[in-house]
Amino acid sequence: MKKLNKIESSAVPLPIENVDTDQIIPARFLKATDREGFGENLFRDWRFKADGTPLPDFVLNQETYSGEILLAGTNFGCGSSREHAAWALADYGFRVIVSSYFADIFRGNALNNGILPIQVEEEILQKLLAATSNNPQTSFRVNLEEQVLEAPELGIKVDFAIDDYKKMCLLNGYDDIDFLLSKKDEIQAFEKSRSH
Amino acid sequence: MSKTLFDKVWDAHVVDSVPNGPQILYIDKHLIHEVTSPQAFAELEQRGIPLYRPQQVVATADHNVPTLNQHLPIKDALSRKQVDLLSKNCENHGVTLYGLGHPYQGIVHVMAPELGITQPGMTMVCGDSHTSTHGAFGSIAFGIGTSQVAMVFASQCLLLNKPKKMRIKVDGDLNQGVTPKDVILYIIAQLGTNSGTGYFVEYAGSVFEQMSMEGRMTVCNMSIEMGARGGMIAPDQTTFDYVQGREFAPKGEEWEKKLAYWKSLPTEEGAEFDQEYSFDAADIEPMITYGTNPGMGIPLSGTIPDSGDQNFEKALNYMGFNPGQSLVDHPIDYVFIGSCTNSRIEDFRQAAAVVKGRQKSPAITAWIVPGSQQVAKQIKEEGLQDIFEAAGFAIRQSGCSACLGMNEDKIPSGAYCVSTSNRNFEGRQGQGARTLLASPLLAAQTAIEGKLTVINSLEPAL
Ligand code: SF4
């Protein structure tokens, strides 16, 4: 897994609420058997017409907006557990997603793929969305070590929460498999100890 | 301290805890399917790790399989490759596969319970968010991502923070024509699509106590649609009667031992929940959704609310509806009775009771997609297939089908589909498709009438 600590970037605003993973990557693209290339079809049906021509109103088709940070409406990533959604976001180049609420499974999938989900108050999110929509160059600083998200031009600096273990994984590029394998003896002992 | 059902099952599966971090939770059963497993198998192979407990993994092919001519090679090359890869992976790693053509094949959340794989007190996972279905048996069952599928392959464990606990009680008697699907659509409409995020839900109260296992599965299935990781119902005599005698259910002495344990699981008096809600069964009417998330539901006799919110308008635009509108008499193009929410035998019995002796409307394309080969067989044996066919319904073979539109069973752009599935997201059933979620009863009636109508004289005695 790719390490993550400091990110300095502009952001892409997506003020839509309840973005489900079917929108992030529609089911018809789940026939692939590897993890690569899903970025091409990220938000496919919001981004392109059925014939493949880009829909100019969608934010990813507007050149003024770019960056490694996605600002998204509340309850981001709800619905299907498909990790393909996290792969598509990562493949497209997003490293951080800021929202006021994340669906559980998506949050886990993001963390397992080197994407940092940052949860902020709804009020802060609305300020960030408005600022970025008005000025696409608005810059953001993320510092995972210190658990801080900052938008210097806006005078906004907020702390965010992350579990110590997951933070260590992201900072070092570790994943849970390494950790679980190191616990093999405990797992076997547990299996032996069970009465039902 | 008094414990909840959830606490008891969770605590019995904790291998170890990371200080200030997650717990290591042992997983009893791991269900896999063709769409979310290939990258996990690839990961094991790349890292040279063996699959730790293959006998605790069960595989089927459901999401990406055709529902016509399943005996022929799959036409779509990518789908064929994906399904073939599942067979190859299962063979290489010693995993039991109930693939296409096998009499046990079916939607993973239909076939596992009917085979007795799902049992009370277990921990179960699958790379699919509707794994919450299995909580109907009093097990902790939840959906996971593909990286987690690989973790369970490698260690039979997951690293998790223990979720919070919510209890939702519904007491009283259900009105005529109100099914388990209406109960859960009602709950989600009341609480909202993210009300359950971070929680495991226990459904309690007389309504669930009186419900069949099929109905309980429908309810637990949709827990994820309010954001909850899973839903559970305390195991009782209904549960034990359902499990007993099934293919993989414990037998003889083993059964007695398990039964004693299962009986100890229900939530104790005085146990605490982080959040509690209660509803009166009498308030629940047959439900329909009008928007693009499952929380956007109303009683069919009601009207679409007005919110003035941009996201709400976007959803209504997509659906072609207006605030204040009633959906009664709204013409419909497709009816889909299937999916892991409502494709069990009881669902088809209810639908058939409405359809019997009638003809579907010529305006409607109606699909019946059984959740498993066993359900398909039962539909035939009970004469339900004849009833549906005589009425002009098309009976397909088992799979996820139009629930997610991954195979060719798609709803055309702009068309309205009354569907017994669980998600009405934009494009879920096909690009531009407009989904209205409802019970099998209302879906069947819609197929006959060609439009949405209040559950009326067509209603059978439930
Ligand atoms: S029927 Fe639908 S919701 Fe259920 S497992 Fe299949 S795709 Fe998922």
Side-chain angles (χ1 to χ4, degrees), chain A residues 31-122:
Chain A
K31 297 181 182 183
T33 50
D34 53 35
R35 290 177 187 235
E36 272 79 54
F38 288 101
E40 234 176 274
N41 296 312
L42 176 68
F43 295 116
R44 178 74 198 199
D45 294 340
W46 286 348
R47 216 167 125 202
F48 301 103
K49 290 189 198 152
D51 66 6
T53 48
L55 288 157
D57 284 348
F58 189 64
V59 67
L60 294 189
N61 293 325
Q62 296 173 356
E63 273 173 25
T64 48
Y65 295 105
S66 65
E68 294 176 284
I69 302 173
L70 180 68
L71 304 175
T74 195
N75 199 24
F76 186 79
C78 59
S80 156
S81 61
R82 60 189 69 165
E83 194 163 313
H84 311 68
W87 300 336
L89 287 159
D91 191 45
Y92 188 87
F94 289 117
R95 304 290 326 268
V96 174
I97 302 173
V98 180
S99 181
S100 56
Y101 220 79
F102 290 93
D104 281 336
I105 305 181
F106 176 80
R107 181 199 297 269
N109 287 342
L111 288 165
N112 284 333
N113 286 280
I115 297 177
L116 173 64
I118 298 183
Q119 186 165 330
V120 297
E121 299 284 323
E122 181 65 32

Side-chain angles (χ1 to χ4, degrees), chain A residues 17 20 22-23 30-31 34-35 46 79-81 83 104-105 109 163 165 175 178 188 191 194 196, chain B residues 13 26 28 39 43 47 52-53 79 82 145-147 159 161 198 229 261 311 423 425-426 428:
Chain A
E17 296 180 355
D20 60 77
D22 272 82
Q23 309 314 319
L30 308 188
K31 297 181 182 183
D34 53 35
R35 290 177 187 235
W46 286 348
S80 156
S81 61
E83 194 163 313
D104 281 336
I105 305 181
N109 287 342
D163 165 307
Y165 167 79
D175 68 23
D178 301 321
Q188 274 167 4
E191 286 175 324
R194 300 183 76 200
H196 35 70
Chain B
H13 289 85
Y26 190 80
D28 293 320
Q39 294 86 350
E43 184 154 357
R47 296 164 82 142
Y52 178 52
R53 292 284 182 239
S79 302
Q82 197 173 53
T146 298
S147 294
L159 278 163
N161 292 303
R229 203 66 191 270
Y261 173 56
N311 289 286
R423 287 187 174 140
F425 297 154
E426 280 183 37
R428 171 80 179 182

